Amino acid sequence: MVTPLQRYIAEEIATDHIDGLLSRREALRRLALLGMSAAAAGALIAACGEKQQPAPSTTSTSATAAAPPGAAGALPTEPVTWAGPAGELQGAWAHVTQPRGGVLVVHENKGLNDYIRSVTGRFAGIGYSALAIDLLSGQGGTGAFADPAEATAALSKIGQDEFVANLRSGVDELQRRVPGRRLAAVGFCMGGGLVWQLLAAGAPQLAAAMPFYGPAPDNPDFAGSKGVAVLAFYGALDQRVNATEPVVRAALEQAGLVHDLVTEPDANHAFFNDTGDRYNAAAAADAWTRVRDWLGKYVG
């Protein structure tokens, strides 16, 4: 049986091909790593193509020439480990001597890579000690995979309960490292979806959550995350994930959570990732400003 996460990752690969970011051969290779037959992969690509017209890349030479938001003041990260619910968990830690709060960073479907370490350091650069969790820790860590596509395939095979348990462990470890401070969680793409999953499972330890273009869980109920202020981001061109925005909006309203759901104009999925083809400098800068303001208001 295909899980929602496997479906999401498979559709993301197919959409990347449709948008011209992957050759058909590479898309089929990555879908095969997920366990899909050539026939099933071809059918998925065709179905996604019917739903979505190819979106133009939002990257420009001038956009990529400038440093991404927050990068200039980013602090270094160091590898750390801690005892998780089912074994040792790995992560990247960016320390602030007198932190305003703490931020748990949840990676995309390629694992804990240099881009996520950079983002982790950027949060530390604005005063928030940050911990990026490696959700492939049980498989030896992201560094054990030479091929990012194989890391993605390995992530697709991890169950939701394991993800949530490890994220909760990450929150606990972050609290241990910044005692007495408020906490937030931020996630990107798959990681944004996992932040929604964490809120649906109940995350009262958090003061704020900031999912970036993350798909909504099935029938989410955020009642167990009372007190969490949610700032979520979407790209106007990201039809696939945007279709789930009404689901989380209704659930946030039902739970009575403070929230702001922002759709960045002319931006696509993964617009914040300055190492990717869909990076949009204007959208990323606006999102970073909003994140800073949200943290200052709800975390410290």
Side-chain angles (χ1 to χ4, degrees), residues 63-73 115 118-119 122 272-275 279 281 284-285 288:
T64 56
Y115 159 63
S118 168
V119 171
R122 293 180 217 176
F272 195 79
N273 186 340
D274 57 284
T275 69
Y279 176 60
W288 185 247

Side-chain angles (χ1 to χ4, degrees), residues 224-296:
S225 295
K226 290 291 187 184
V228 183
V230 180
L231 174 65
F233 291 97
Y234 298 85
L237 304 178
D238 187 8
Q239 300 173 32
R240 185 170 59 99
V241 174
N242 292 353
T244 72
E245 188 261 16
V247 174
V248 293
R249 183 183 294 275
L252 290 166
E253 292 173 353
Q254 178 67 30
L257 300 187
V258 172
H259 62 277
D260 187 10
L261 307 185
V262 178
T263 298
E264 294 288 352
D266 302 319
N268 208 328
H269 189 69
F271 68 76
F272 195 79
N273 186 340
D274 57 284
T275 69
D277 292 317
R278 293 192 178 107
Y279 176 60
N280 184 303
D286 179 69
W288 185 247
T289 297
R290 292 175 184 269
V291 163
R292 290 188 65 166
D293 292 345
W294 200 260
L295 289 172

Side-chain angles (χ1 to χ4, degrees), residues 128-219:
Y128 300 90
S129 289
L131 176 65
I133 185 171
D134 190 341
L135 294 170
L136 284 167
S137 295
Q139 290 70 33
T142 301
F145 296 87
D147 181 356
E150 292 185 354
T152 299
L155 282 164
S156 77
K157 295 175 173 62
I158 297 174
Q160 177 183 321
D161 290 346
E162 180 179 339
F163 277 134
V164 170
N166 287 339
L167 290 174
R168 283 177 164 164
S169 178
V171 172
D172 291 342
E173 177 65 13
L174 182 62
Q175 187 69 85
R176 186 187 72 79
R177 290 172 176 268
V178 288
R181 301 295 183 181
R182 292 179 178 175
L183 308 180
V186 62
F188 302 90
C189 300
M190 182 197 82
L194 290 176
V195 170
W196 288 125
Q197 295 281 4
L198 180 62
L199 294 177
Q205 310 97 314
L206 298 178
M210 299 162 293
F212 276 69
Y213 28 80
D218 293 334
N219 303 313

Side-chain angles (χ1 to χ4, degrees), residues 47 113 143:
N113 55 19

